[in-house]
Amino acid sequence: MSSHIFLPGLRLQLGRLIPAHQLYLSEWHEEAVQKADSGDVSASICLQGALIELVQFGHLTHDWIGIFDEYLTGDDCAPIAYSEKYGQRLYGFESQAKQATILSIHTRWWIESIQKGALGVEHDRYAAMLLPRKLMHGLIYDHDVSETILRHRMKTELTMSLAYSLEIIGAANRLLNELKAQITASLVDYRKCPPSGYMSTEYFRLQALRMLSAANHFPVGIGGAIDACAANLEVGYCDFSMADKRDAYMGTAKRTARDKPIHSPLTACHVSALTEVIDDTSARDRINKRLGEYSRHLNKQPMDIPAFQMRDVPIPFGADRTPIEVLCASHLIQRSIPT
Amino acid sequence: MILGYLRVQDFLTRTKGEVIGRMVTDAKDRVYKQAYRWQSHGSDLLVVQRSDGKGDAVRIAKIIPLTEALVSFFGMYSGDGAKGSEKVAEPGRIVPTISFSQKEPNLVRFAVDQFRKLCPGDIRFTFSLGEDSAYFMAGDGVDLLREYYLSQGLPGTPATQTLSSCRPQLNDKDREYLTEVRPDVAGANEDYLAFYYTHKAAMEAILTEVKREDLRNVGVSLLDSDRVTASLRRPFKKGARQSGGTSRSDEIHVGGLNGFGELFLKMLHEIEDSILRDSATSASGLVEWIGQPSQIGQILDLQQFFTTNAYGCIARQRPNWLAHNAAYLKGQWPRSGETMLLRQLRIDPLWCYTSGLYLAEGTTDKAKLFRMFSESPGSLGLSFTSSEGTSIELMLRTLHRLFPIAECVDAWKVKVGSQYFPELVVTGLKHGVSMLRGGNSGDGKLRTMEISLAIKEWALAVADDPLGQASLLRQHYSNRFSHVEPTGSGVARIDFWCSSKLCRWYFPLLMYTVFGEIVADPTQGFY
């Protein structure tokens, strides 16, 4: 059985998909493959395509490594996030699109691991793309791609990049004690990675700490943060609490009063993983109960995966359904069905 | 030239004095409604007042001619004017107030004149200059402060007192300020608050005089009922991130129009909507153009305009003509690029409205537009930002009137304020990617294409929304979308920009439209 760190709990194997999910994923996959064949592809498309194949067929059916070799490999042999043609989807972005990110490196590494098995992968080669190139301030992140100072970076980016990197570095047996200590100290440093209340940030923090054998340093209070992410939602969880949103300019919540949270199957999966570090059993039960209700809701309305909107304007702001969301929804539904 | 009329009396009679409308601004969908009573005042005027007797009795013409300047004024108000505030007891309903944000003195004078023409009764103005008191902590502000104290007989700027001595009793806002955290600003809030209260009176006096001087320079004659005030914000409260930084905001509050705001907004919306739909009569009949809007208005021969008209020069120079065919001229300003433009331009309601709208919302430094006729304006840029599809569509239609379609837009982006960064992050996660920002402080091009491409779809849908069909943005410039730009604050908005060579053709025509009937020779100054 395969798994991916991004999707906690998901069994990436041949499984039952409800027809609506099956149809959506098949159509998405077909279009992605067609475009990829013409060189219009990104690492994230490869990842989603591979995930779909694992749940639909039980193994990879497309040569994603070949796609990487042909279109998603930089001059220095590092996997890059966007092909040249994909980069043209944005006007004037071609030169910047050629970027080797931790996610693109991890995606290539993960697909290769699935395709060849862990023993067939040169883990050390991938680890060398991360160390020391991406190591800075005791964290591992894409400072070579995005020069934004630490304080202005998205916290989810920091913990996610770190978790992805540690997975590769660990596989290469290069996670030495000195490095572990350095990274753990940064990860618990309030100035670098303050407890955020963002489910994704905290989920990846937990994953990173576990790989560092330091889960005991996970911040307290995650139960309250999870509850806050359920506010104003009939079902499920949002990645963040609207009440915590602040306009950085004014430092007030005034300008966010009309914003609405959305529930997300992906977030529900992250929340589910976070319940493992909630000591208060009643809080954990309450959250698990809500997750169960959300699973049943998705069972009834499997495509109820909304997008955000700008205040009152009912136009999707960003994506609603994506393969990742649908796969998570499918996982939650399967989990709710008694075997 | 009169392009149409606001038939106020007929409208009120037909609707039995009920005014109702819906508006979406800053992505807030809200309604306004009001009931009025009215009576004739002489042969041409009405006195309009809320039917419950509250508010002011406002004098207004029964039929208001829509000149180029007045249509431009409404366009300007659409951009810079207040739309109202929401009623606490009735969420979703706004109570309009009439005020106008504008710093440029000539535009202030223009707005004042248009307000007085529109409402020839007892209206009064309060001119307010708001500034962050951090402005007085370094740079020019320090000099102004020292000069002020010298003029008061002091040897210089006195030392800042302790907070407990200059502000023994803190109010709620003071206490809130002291608890606020500004990661970008070094220093202690207590010291800043002490500076604010030590010099508050001096700073207000300085700013009030600055505003008075601005108004004097453009000949705004203050009546006894008019006021000039200054409003100081606590340091770094808004905008200014460093000592000496400015976040000046100028407001014109119009008094004597209490209760009139709903009718005023209705005029504005009916003008805009009839232009957008190119309809001779607005939905409620309040606006009646003299014909189909796109078919009315004076026609300018552009070669002639830029050869002979007083507004057709920049820095007292005129363009060279390189070629022409049946549809297009090719011209070139000194030290600028060759540009194709249409041979004729109709100064129709759309052109007038967007001229005012651009003066309000366009990102060009307004002062340059007023001095460009007599001196070199330096570099000019043409770009426009709006969260509303209607404004984007109207501006693009306007540029299409003057330039070949392919030349009108260089590229466009979506700017997203910090309060929506979490939404961007989640959008990335839905595609399996994290959000990588660009630039040292994160306000450059977003490096994560998946997020930019997802938000592009939002922008195109916003542009289409008021039309019910594909907008010009989607039809012609979908492939010019550049990126998402995380920025300081505010709802997501569409921002497009054009080649700088278009500026020298567009801006003279814009200024002619708004001021052509008011100022004969712009090289001699405006007001």
Side-chain angles (χ1 to χ4, degrees), chain A residues 44 82 146 152 255 258 322, chain B residues 86 423 430 437 439 450 489:
Chain A
S44 64
Y82 310 115
S146 158
H152 289 311
R255 296 186 186 189
R258 302 175 95 93
T322 62
Chain B
E86 207 156 329
E423 280 86 341
K430 281 170 171 267
R437 302 174 67 173
E450 289 87 346
S489 161

Side-chain angles (χ1 to χ4, degrees), chain A residues 96-143:
Chain A
Q96 286 148 299
K98 201 172 181 181
Q99 53 192 28
T101 61
I102 290 169
L103 266 65
S104 63
I105 294 166
H106 183 276
T107 299
R108 165 82 196 221
W109 170 83
W110 181 80
I111 289 175
E112 223 178 292
S113 302
I114 297 290
Q115 188 84 23
K116 300 176 181 173
L119 294 176
V121 180
E122 293 177 72
H123 300 296
D124 208 53
R125 188 171 77 87
Y126 290 101
M129 294 173 190
L130 303 169
L131 292 174
R133 185 166 147 185
K134 303 274 185 183
L135 182 64
M136 185 181 267
H137 299 120
L139 294 168
I140 303 175
Y141 61 101
D142 287 309
H143 58 83

Side-chain angles (χ1 to χ4, degrees), chain B residues 121-135:
Chain B
D122 299 325
I123 62 172
R124 56 191 180 276
F125 295 94
T126 300
F127 300 96
S128 160
L129 195 169
E131 180 60 282
D132 193 310
S133 43
Y135 172 70

Side-chain angles (χ1 to χ4, degrees), chain B residues 256-323:
Chain B
L257 296 177
N258 280 340
F260 185 71
E262 288 84 353
L263 182 54
F264 183 80
L265 275 190
K266 191 69 178 172
M267 293 175 185
L268 170 63
H269 291 147
E270 293 268 310
I271 288 171
E272 184 180 88
D273 194 57
S274 58
I275 291 171
L276 182 71
R277 300 184 195 292
D278 200 21
S279 172
T281 307
S282 68
S284 71
L286 176 57
V287 178
E288 200 174 282
W289 303 105
I290 59 172
Q292 192 178 356
S294 62
Q295 303 300 316
I296 61 176
Q298 65 165 315
I299 294 174
L300 295 181
D301 177 310
L302 291 181
Q303 184 161 9
Q304 187 181 17
F305 176 85
F306 284 106
T307 306
T308 62
N309 194 290
Y311 281 81
C313 67
I314 291 178
R316 300 181 190 277
Q317 293 180 311
R318 304 235 177 223
N320 297 315
W321 300 105
L322 305 174

Side-chain angles (χ1 to χ4, degrees), chain A residues 34-232:
Chain A
Q34 279 183 17
K35 287 185 175 166
D37 286 346
S38 68
D40 184 7
V41 67
S42 66
S44 64
I45 287 174
C46 294
L47 172 64
Q48 292 173 91
L51 293 171
I52 291 170
E53 288 165 14
L54 289 175
V55 296
Q56 285 196 327
F57 306 108
H59 64 279
L60 298 183
T61 59
H62 202 76
D63 179 16
W64 295 111
I65 293 177
I67 296 285
F68 257 100
D69 286 341
E70 183 71 19
Y71 304 116
L72 293 169
T73 301
D75 299 333
D76 55 356
C77 298
I80 56 176
Y82 310 115
S83 70
E84 188 177 342
K85 191 168 180 183
Y86 190 91
Q88 291 166 3
R89 290 191 190 190
L90 291 180
Y91 184 73
F93 200 75
E94 293 90 333
S95 59
Q96 286 148 299
K98 201 172 181 181
Q99 53 192 28
T101 61
I102 290 169
L103 266 65
S104 63
I105 294 166
H106 183 276
T107 299
R108 165 82 196 221
W109 170 83
W110 181 80
I111 289 175
E112 223 178 292
S113 302
I114 297 290
Q115 188 84 23
K116 300 176 181 173
L119 294 176
V121 180
E122 293 177 72
H123 300 296
D124 208 53
R125 188 171 77 87
Y126 290 101
M129 294 173 190
L130 303 169
L131 292 174
R133 185 166 147 185
K134 303 274 185 183
L135 182 64
M136 185 181 267
H137 299 120
L139 294 168
I140 303 175
Y141 61 101
D142 287 309
H143 58 83
D144 54 335
V145 174
S146 158
E147 70 270 41
T148 303
I149 59 172
L150 207 54
R151 185 156 52 81
H152 289 311
R153 299 186 87 92
M154 298 295 106
K155 301 304 171 240
T156 299
E157 185 238 325
L158 293 177
T159 58
M160 186 173 168
S161 295
L162 188 59
Y164 276 39
S165 300
L166 290 175
E167 199 178 16
I168 296 174
I169 293 164
N173 291 320
R174 290 177 63 167
L175 198 48
L176 305 179
N177 284 339
E178 188 185 344
L179 181 64
K180 272 186 172 180
Q182 187 187 0
I183 293 173
T184 304
S186 297
L187 204 47
V188 301
D189 184 344
Y190 187 88
R191 291 161 300 179
K192 289 182 181 173
C193 289
S196 67
Y198 295 101
M199 296 299 99
S200 50
T201 306
E202 298 311 319
Y203 163 71
F204 287 115
R205 185 201 303 270
L206 178 61
Q207 293 304 312
L209 285 171
R210 280 179 173 157
M211 284 183 272
L212 295 162
S213 310
N216 51 320
H217 292 293
F218 188 76
V220 295
I222 191 65
I226 292 173
D227 286 341
C229 291
N232 298 319

